[in-house]
Amino acid sequence: GFIAVASGGVHTLALKTDGSAWAWGLDDAGQLGGGAAADRSAPVLIGNGYTALSAGNFHSLAVKSDGTLWSWGYNLFGNLGDGTATNRSSPLFVGGGYAAVAGGLFHSLALKSDGTLWAWGNNAYGQLGDGTTANRSTPVQVGSNYSAIAAGGLHSLALKNDGTLMVWGWNAYGQIGDGTTTSRASP
């Protein structure tokens, strides 16, 4: 059976107990990871050996049991982390040592097993947390001592090991919860 699911803009990812990853829905940018841009109304196998996954709006992220991070789909802002702006319809190796991922609208977050937090992709509102609004097409370290991550459309959230909640990015509606409507480029 299935043990985890993730919902993108118009696609869905799911993880089974045997480590197989599955996808279905819209595939216009290769976000299903099946190697061919073809919409699917039923689950299609992405691959095996996965332990975590997340769906951005039009891109997908997953971690394998060996700690390697893989991404695929839409990549105009570098949200796949491979240093390019080329869409990918098959899982692409990003790096090693990862434990968790979170996909936003056009940005990505990843947590390494050592507690360091990494981000890449669109950064128009500071959602990468590196103190700038420059897009990044490869992972940039945001900080350390983190234990959990989540990505909104244009903002990001992370829990520190001590339970402190850190937030940053677009804040027009107060979504980062700091009592203002000012966007923040740093946690």
Side-chain angles (χ1 to χ4, degrees):
F2 290 102
I3 57 169
V5 293
S7 177
V10 195
H11 75 292
T12 304
L13 304 176
L15 183 64
K16 284 192 171 183
T17 54
D18 64 3
S20 61
W22 299 78
W24 59 95
L26 181 69
D27 197 28
D28 61 337
Q31 61 264 44
L32 298 188
D39 299 349
R40 306 287 182 155
S41 60
V44 60
L45 177 66
I46 299 167
N48 296 294
Y50 290 96
T51 58
L53 45 73
S54 182
N57 205 45
F58 297 103
H59 72 290
S60 303
L61 305 155
V63 176
K64 286 196 171 188
S65 56
D66 62 2
T68 55
L69 173 62
W70 301 78
S71 64
W72 59 95
Y74 186 73
N75 198 26
L76 180 64
F77 300 101
N79 30 314
L80 298 187
D82 69 340
T84 76
T86 304
N87 294 351
R88 309 287 180 170
S89 60
S90 296
L92 172 77
F93 174 74
V94 178
Y98 290 93
V101 285
L105 181 61
F106 300 121
H107 75 290
S108 302
L109 303 175
L111 185 63
K112 285 200 173 188
S113 52
D114 65 2
T116 57
L117 175 59
W118 300 77
W120 60 95
N122 183 270
N123 198 24
Y125 296 95
Q127 61 264 44
L128 300 188
D130 66 351
T132 77
T133 54
N135 295 345
R136 307 289 182 179
S137 61
T138 57
V140 59
Q141 186 174 340
V142 178
S144 56
N145 299 313
Y146 285 96
S147 60
I149 53 174
L154 296 167
H155 69 291
S156 303
L157 307 95
L159 282 176
K160 288 275 207 172
N161 291 337
D162 65 3
T164 305
L165 175 60
M166 306 299 287
V167 292
W168 60 95
W170 190 48
N171 195 31
Y173 298 96
Q175 60 266 45
I176 65 174
D178 66 350
T180 76
T181 54
T182 304
S183 296
R184 310 285 180 181
S186 297

